[in-house]
Amino acid sequence: VFMPSKKNVKLVVAIGLMLLGLIMTVAVSQADTKEVHCYSVLSPIESSTGFSKIIESGCFDSFPESIEAATSGQVILPEDVDPATLTDSDLNPHLDFNRIVPNTTTVIGIDYKYSNFGGSSYTWTVTGVGCTDSLSYGISQMPSGWDNSVSSARSYANCNHYYHWENKDNKGAVLDCGTSCSSMGVMDNQTSSEQWHK
């Protein structure tokens, strides 16, 4: 009967632990690279709280799926769409600031995990029109998985000021992306709350 020496047993255990560590590293790395595309529907900012309510949310494996859900099926994008090329008319073909179109959902902003509008995304929508003199939107804190995770962003539907705040409740440093930030500079991965204004 072969009896391994203590030295051989230790070597086998050490190799086993190294392999286990390598497998776990690869698994974590793959989980980190899996894109998730989410959306939320917001109410206008409420005077009592100073923030919007999140009415509805959802997440999907692909960007086109999330946009279809976010717009209540109004916008169907091809599977190979490049988010960086999307325009207001692509995302909000119904939008007309001269009249209210009933039962419509409007995209006001999209956050991205990577610079240049890449990686996982979070789409923000509202019912009716976007930003006006009397309608603004804002969230007091980022959704789960998105705190300190935004690296680029775009706004739509007349939301010409897209504020990214360093801390919750619109506190700390702030970056106004205007209608587009392909990168966030010192605010990269620092966003904890947001606002949209005309």
Side-chain angles (χ1 to χ4, degrees):
V1 177
F2 173 72
M3 296 292 290
S5 68
K6 288 183 180 179
K7 183 177 180 183
N8 286 342
V9 170
K10 287 181 181 178
L11 181 61
V12 169
V13 170
I15 291 171
L17 289 173
M18 285 172 54
L19 287 172
L20 180 62
L22 180 62
I23 290 168
M24 289 177 67
T25 300
V26 169
V28 169
S29 176
Q30 288 176 340
D32 287 345
T33 58
K34 184 180 185 297
E35 290 185 6
V36 178
H37 302 275
C38 302
Y39 79 94
S40 285
V41 181
L42 301 176
S43 71
I45 288 176
E46 300 179 349
S47 57
S48 58
T49 64
F51 297 101
S52 301
K53 279 184 181 174
I54 293 180
I55 300 167
E56 172 187 320
S57 296
C59 291
F60 299 86
D61 291 333
S62 78
F63 182 72
E65 282 181 298
S66 72
I67 293 298
E68 182 177 354
T71 61
S72 303
Q74 294 166 180
V75 177
I76 310 294
L77 298 173
E79 281 300 317
D80 60 350
V81 67
D82 178 2
T85 66
L86 291 175
T87 65
D88 222 331
S89 59
D90 293 327
L91 294 170
N92 299 310
H94 62 280
L95 199 57
D96 183 350
F97 282 92
N98 296 316
R99 63 189 178 93
I100 300 295
V101 180
N103 303 316
T104 59
T105 305
T106 300
V107 175
I108 62 167
I110 305 177
D111 289 312
Y112 297 92
K113 287 269 187 177
Y114 300 154
S115 60
N116 297 311
F117 320 110
S120 296
S121 67
Y122 208 104
T123 299
W124 302 96
T125 66
V126 300
T127 55
V129 298
C131 295
T132 68
D133 290 334
S134 59
L135 288 175
S136 296
Y137 306 88
I139 52 167
S140 61
Q141 61 184 34
M142 296 298 284
S144 176
W146 279 85
D147 188 43
N148 297 324
S149 291
V150 178
S151 290
S152 58
R154 273 198 171 139
S155 64
Y156 304 90
N158 211 35
C159 296
N160 300 315
H161 297 281
Y162 191 178
Y163 296 103
H164 290 71
W165 295 84
E166 177 187 19
N167 300 324
K168 294 177 182 178
D169 301 321
N170 303 149
K171 294 179 180 175
V174 62
L175 172 67
D176 180 1
C177 274
T179 58
S180 183
C181 280
S182 60
S183 61
M184 309 292 283
V186 295
M187 280 293 290
D188 186 45
N189 294 322
Q190 298 296 315
T191 299
S192 291
S193 55
E194 296 182 337
Q195 281 185 333
W196 296 262
H197 294 275
K198 179 178 175 183

